[in-house]
Amino acid sequence: MMTKLLSFVASQLTISILLSSFATTKALEQNNGYEETLDPNLFALKEQKLTHFHFFFHDTFTGTKPSVIQIVPTPPTNVSAVAFGSMNMIDDPLTEGPNLSSNLIGKAQGFYGSAAQDEISFIIVMNIVFTQGKYNGSTITIVGSDPISSKVRELPVIGGSKIFRFARGYAEASTYSVNLTSGDAIVEYNLYVLHY
């Protein structure tokens, strides 16, 4: 009797170990050992909303404290008139209105470079860093192509931080004014951002 009981327990234990091993193997196959699917409720994600932002971007090369500086000049072998290959770093003020003296809402921090050989078109990588109100300290990340001869340029919003974690959407940029001698420009932005 004892032998049959031990045999039964051993067979049940073997089955349990095999099932557990199979489940672990399947979990590792699904997760590849480095990722896992999570329940969005763990992050207290609320209903998604769409927010529209309207502001002006001040890109200033001149003055005692320029907001943009060239970090990579146009290569000397480049004979194009569009400064292909040059790169600029920005810390541009963002204001509610087109005047620099209007209410400051944040900064555009990042860089842009001339990425086309036959037109003035920049590749832009920047964070919109909010410094006022309920968005203070949150960022929205924009990466995309900016062919500045187009009246309205569309750039993708690819993410953000704090309030804008998991953000996505797009930005529309249009040149408000530009000084062709100095390069100083004011660009009007409309951002449409989906976030939680």
Side-chain angles (χ1 to χ4, degrees):
M1 178 81 167
M2 188 64 146
T3 306
K4 286 184 179 181
L5 181 60
L6 286 174
S7 177
F8 176 75
V9 169
S11 67
Q12 291 300 313
L13 186 58
T14 302
I15 290 171
S16 179
I17 290 170
L18 286 173
L19 287 174
S20 176
S21 175
F22 178 75
T24 301
T25 302
K26 278 298 182 194
L28 288 174
E29 284 175 9
Q30 290 173 342
N31 295 336
N32 301 317
Y34 61 87
E35 53 89 14
E36 62 182 316
T37 302
L38 298 174
D39 181 355
N41 293 325
L42 292 173
F43 291 94
L45 298 178
K46 300 173 185 163
E47 186 175 331
Q48 198 171 55
K49 56 189 159 207
L50 176 64
T51 302
H52 170 236
F53 295 95
H54 176 252
F55 54 82
F56 292 84
F57 166 108
H58 299 266
D59 203 40
T60 308
F61 286 90
T62 58
T64 58
K65 192 176 176 186
S67 66
V68 56
I69 59 168
Q70 188 175 63
I71 55 172
V72 177
T74 305
T77 56
N78 181 16
V79 293
S80 75
V82 295
F84 176 66
S86 65
M87 184 78 68
N88 298 305
M89 188 66 66
I90 61 170
D91 187 23
D92 289 341
L94 304 174
T95 60
E96 283 184 8
N99 296 322
L100 191 54
S101 60
S102 68
N103 189 36
L104 180 74
I105 62 157
K107 298 248 183 145
Q109 296 175 327
F111 57 90
Y112 62 85
S114 180
Q117 296 185 48
D118 53 359
E119 67 174 327
I120 300 175
S121 183
F122 300 118
I123 184 76
I124 293 183
V125 178
M126 69 178 172
N127 280 330
I128 302 301
V129 182
F130 292 95
T131 58
Q132 302 296 321
K134 69 179 180 178
Y135 301 118
N136 186 18
S138 295
T139 66
I140 294 172
T141 303
I142 296 171
V143 176
S145 178
D146 186 11
I148 64 170
S149 61
S150 298
K151 184 175 179 179
V152 178
R153 288 91 66 192
E154 186 174 311
L155 301 118
V157 168
I158 63 163
S161 66
K162 294 191 178 178
I163 289 176
F164 299 108
R165 291 176 186 151
F166 303 108
R168 65 188 191 283
Y170 69 99
E172 290 181 341
S174 55
T175 304
Y176 181 82
S177 68
V178 64
N179 181 319
L180 296 176
T181 304
S182 68
D184 292 356
I186 300 171
V187 180
E188 184 174 7
Y189 272 85
N190 281 285
L191 264 65
Y192 300 90
V193 182
L194 282 167
H195 61 100
Y196 292 95

